[in-house]
Amino acid sequence: MSRLHYESITSCKNEILRTSTGLDYSQFEGGSLAFDYEGLMKSVGLTLQEIARVQQDSGVGDTPLLELTRLTELVRSHAPSGMGARIFIKDEAVNPSGSFKDRRASLSAHAAKQAGYPGLVAATSGNYGAAVAAQAARLGLRSIIVQEMYDSHDRAQPEILEKGRKCEALGAEVLRATVGPELFYLLLATLQETGYFNASLYTPFSIAGIETLGFEIAEQVRCRTGRDPYAVLATHAGGGMVTGTARGLHAAGATDVRIIGVSVDLAGLHMASDRDFNRKSFTTGHTGFSVPFTTWPDRVDVPRNAARSLRYLDDLLTVSQGEVFFATELLARAEGLERGPAGNTSLAAALVLAAQLPREEIIVVTETEYTGAGKSPSAQLEFAARMGVEVVNGGPEDSGRPGEKIVIPTRLEDLRVRRVPLDGLRRAYLLRARESGFYDAELDVAFLAAETRTTPDFVRDVMSSDG
Amino acid sequence: MSTSDRHASEKGEKIEIGRIVPAGTHVEVVREILAAGQRAPGVPEDTAHTPYRVRTRGILVEETPMFGQATVLTPAGRLYTGRIILESPPDNHSFGRRHPALLEAITSIHGVLRGER
């Protein structure tokens, strides 16, 4: 390997991506920023019912919707009179590899198998690797997971080590990389060398696979309560969960349900910094991914990201690391559900939001994930302390400082959510679009209005601004 | 101290440089992809000063001295070459100890669930 090889591989990027996804993205392009998003999604070539069948055959989906009655009672015990919405959670941990990511991987594996690829490659540091490994195994395909795992001192978060272990346990080869954006090069080189399918998190297969989750939520909530939920809370990173769930809800006719993204606040930490990498206690579902991906979704390992969260988000909230740890311990002890961090990020926000909504309303946390060694709050906090992060108890007046101080609340009523103004994210997206050099005022205004859920006038206004 | 030495010493294992690792052993190898100073444009300065390395695990194809260049057969059936840094690499991450601040939160939760406040 050398700098020369690095440059030669990255210069063949488009060809490698076309070959490895079996998808010619240029057919959806119009020569400017705008592209045919719905056309891209239709390229999956399966109806929602057919997707559900593919997933059923792989043991994926149709997961239980659990009502968290004890947590709802606890919320009501401190909420104003008449307040305290019912909280439900979709127990996605029961999917084959332990998270909703099986939904995403199942369609990729299905597409790879049908097209005759010998295996799948995915670049991820999350549960998705395990899902790709599991779904590949079921179809007799090979899998390679490219994972950002260590800092330059060979230190890794226990949660990442667990995710790597799980991939290997499910039969995958795991390439364990140090911190850096060169992960993309590693992915490209591996795709070129193996001829495997690029099971990117951001292909239309991956996003369409999540639509069944939104559809199931609508159907199960209606069946249990006779109404639609007021809101779903989706832990937000790259945008897949928000996009796929929203599309599934819309397909079920549940178009009025509010889509609320929730991320762990990691403001101030740089995701490609060797120093900062191990000073965070969450590997995904945090603002280090959600803010850049929301404001520029196409920063991914395929030409166009099928996850476009600004099209669907009604609200974006953040919670602190300490609040998620508290929610994790509370869920285990109050409801008997020991689950991992991703869903509990949204749960922490749900516990706050429920207290602000009338009792007859319903809110749904879209996922749980499996937990175990490495993923538990105790493991992550022991590591954080070793990395020099201060871990203390505290009230709502101090939510800590990412990378320096984690504040764990001791009372449910001390949890808070912070709102990220969507208009700021929309402006950031549009300004980035303007700077891209591909913006065409004639061709792109309607597209950008759809992308940001705004109006053509809003788009023109921002595009002609000084900002 | 090199990566591999640090690894072995962290676990309190005796470092035997040059010891022959038999073929068929499960090992971890490391490969340097980019040297420090050759990193991708735009990486933060602290990262730019470190090499980009990749490790993987597999079955050693031929006997090789510890820390020597080796070829392994990976679970995907690929041959991958790198320097051996671990013999029988462990998965020894754990549930950890309860930090006092976490314990305080858990104790408070137990109190509420017992109806004590």
Side-chain angles (χ1 to χ4, degrees):
Chain A
M1 275 317 144
S2 64
R3 180 82 211 173
L4 201 62
H5 190 253
Y6 175 83
E7 279 161 10
S8 128
I9 288 281
T10 42
S11 70
C12 303
K13 177 178 82 171
N14 290 341
E15 178 56 30
I16 295 172
L17 291 177
R18 185 164 48 246
T19 311
S20 61
T21 55
L23 198 55
D24 182 4
Y25 280 79
S26 67
Q27 64 186 298
F28 310 110
E29 300 289 350
S32 62
L33 278 173
F35 77 104
D36 179 7
Y37 176 51
E38 288 304 328
L40 176 68
M41 291 306 295
K42 283 198 183 80
S43 70
V44 169
L46 298 170
T47 65
L48 196 53
Q49 286 67 32
E50 287 167 335
I51 292 170
R53 213 168 305 131
V54 167
Q55 293 181 333
Q56 220 164 30
D57 288 346
S58 302
V60 175
D62 204 13
T63 56
L65 180 76
L66 306 175
E67 181 165 10
L68 303 179
T69 52
R70 296 260 288 157
L71 289 186
T72 303
E73 273 174 37
L74 287 174
V75 168
R76 288 176 178 175
S77 71
H78 74 81
S81 171
M83 306 301 263
R86 295 165 69 181
I87 306 170
F88 288 75
I89 197 163
K90 192 76 165 131
D91 200 16
E92 290 290 293
V94 304
N95 280 304
S97 72
S99 80
F100 91 100
K101 294 282 170 46
D102 280 293
R103 295 181 189 264
R104 305 179 79 157
S106 60
L107 280 199
S108 289
H110 176 77
K113 178 85 176 176
Q114 292 231 313
Y117 288 86
L120 297 95
V121 186
T124 167
S125 294
N127 293 318
Y128 185 59
V132 168
Q135 295 303 311
R138 287 187 74 92
L139 296 182
L141 299 171
R142 298 175 183 194
S143 60
I144 300 174
I145 306 303
V146 185
Q147 201 176 28
E148 187 178 57
M149 193 178 274
Y150 298 102
D151 66 14
S152 63
H153 301 283
D154 301 313
R155 293 176 299 216
Q157 286 182 58
E159 187 186 353
I160 288 199
L161 289 172
E162 164 55 19
K163 287 173 171 174
R165 181 209 64 81
K166 179 104 173 166
C167 292
E168 286 182 341
L170 294 167
E173 171 187 325
V174 181
L175 296 176
R176 304 155 167 254
T178 49
V179 182
E182 293 92 341
L183 197 74
F184 182 48
Y185 152 79
L186 202 57
L187 171 76
L188 292 173
T190 310
L191 288 169
Q192 193 188 47
E193 187 183 325
T194 60
Y196 287 7
F197 184 83
N198 179 10
S200 158
L201 276 161
Y202 305 106
T203 62
F205 303 109
S206 176
I207 303 310
I210 310 167
E211 291 179 9
T212 51
L213 174 59
F215 196 86
E216 284 172 29
I217 288 172
E219 291 213 312
Q220 287 173 313
V221 172
R222 286 169 181 164
C223 180
R224 295 272 288 278
T225 70
R227 57 190 299 174
D228 281 349
Y230 169 79
V232 298
L233 286 89
T235 300
H236 182 36
M241 173 60 101
V242 163
T243 304
T245 306
R247 291 177 64 87
L249 284 162
H250 293 175
T255 48
D256 292 334
V257 180
R258 291 179 68 77
I259 311 294
I260 302 177
V262 185
S263 301
V264 179
D265 180 16
L266 290 187
L269 293 182
H270 195 303
M271 293 307 115
S273 159
D274 188 60
R275 182 191 174 277
D276 290 355
F277 182 64
N278 278 325
R279 281 178 172 75
K280 60 188 193 295
S281 296
F282 286 77
T283 61
T284 186
H286 54 67
T287 54
F289 291 148
S290 66
V291 170
F293 275 83
T294 303
T295 51
W296 196 245
D298 293 324
R299 54 175 73 246
V300 291
D301 53 6
V302 282
R304 290 289 193 168
N305 189 349
R308 310 192 77 82
S309 57
L310 271 184
R311 286 178 176 249
Y312 301 100
L313 277 175
D314 290 299
D315 225 340
L316 178 57
L317 307 175
T318 67
V319 290
S320 73
Q321 298 182 98
E323 286 167 331
V324 182
F325 289 135
F326 178 86
T328 301
E329 299 294 353
L330 185 63
L331 178 70
R333 286 163 172 82
E335 297 283 353
L337 294 170
E338 190 186 17
R339 296 292 186 267
N344 295 341
T345 299
S346 286
L347 177 65
L351 293 168
V352 178
L353 198 63
Q356 300 167 1
L357 291 168
R359 288 179 174 224
E360 59 273 17
E361 295 291 1
I362 291 157
I363 57 177
V364 180
V365 174
T366 59
E367 63 171 316
T368 61
E369 67 167 303
Y370 88 100
T371 189
K375 286 193 170 199
S376 62
S378 51
Q380 286 288 82
L381 284 168
E382 186 179 31
F383 182 74
R386 191 142 52 88
M387 292 303 298
V389 176
E390 186 187 2
V391 182
V392 296
N393 294 118
E397 68 288 342
D398 181 8
S399 60
R401 181 184 283 270
E404 291 175 24
K405 183 172 159 191
I406 293 174
V407 178
I408 305 177
T410 56
R411 305 184 322 154
L412 174 59
E413 50 269 44
D414 286 345
L415 269 63
R416 295 286 184 275
V417 293
R418 294 109 203 143
R419 184 160 277 108
V420 181
L422 283 184
D423 262 355
L425 298 177
R426 291 176 176 126
R427 283 175 194 281
Y429 175 105
L430 292 172
L431 293 175
R432 173 72 197 253
R434 191 175 71 180
E435 285 160 18
S436 72
F438 295 102
Y439 172 61
D440 183 315
E442 292 296 310
L443 297 172
D444 290 333
V445 167
F447 170 77
L448 291 173
E451 282 278 279
T452 52
R453 281 180 78 192
T454 58
T455 60
D457 283 345
F458 180 89
V459 173
R460 283 191 205 97
D461 212 36
V462 174
M463 291 312 212
S464 60
S465 71
D466 296 332
Chain B
M1 193 182 267
S2 75
T3 301
S4 44
D5 298 346
R6 184 164 46 238
H7 237 282
S9 62
E10 258 177 21
K11 295 171 180 61
E13 294 159 5
K14 194 176 169 193
I15 304 164
E16 290 183 71
I17 296 170
R19 194 177 76 76
I20 301 298
V21 183
T25 308
H26 187 223
V27 298
E28 186 164 307
V29 297
V30 65
R31 190 190 281 184
E32 183 171 298
I33 306 284
L34 292 171
Q38 289 197 328
R39 301 293 302 267
V43 298
E45 206 181 342
D46 62 338
T47 309
H49 291 126
T50 66
Y52 189 63
R53 290 194 306 258
V54 177
R55 306 187 198 183
T56 197
R57 295 173 174 184
I59 304 299
L60 189 59
V61 173
E62 290 178 334
E63 66 171 33
T64 310
M66 190 66 185
F67 306 129
Q69 283 294 317
T71 301
V72 298
L73 180 66
T74 73
R78 289 202 303 163
L79 293 175
Y80 194 93
T81 305
R83 199 163 56 86
I84 303 187
I85 51 165
L86 286 173
E87 188 177 341
S88 298
D91 289 312
N92 53 9
H93 54 284
S94 75
F95 288 91
R97 277 181 273 262
R98 285 183 190 173
H99 189 282
L102 185 67
L103 187 61
E104 186 68 27
I106 291 169
T107 305
S108 165
I109 289 167
H110 285 161
V112 169
L113 295 176
R114 286 195 301 261
E116 290 168 6
R117 72 166 185 84

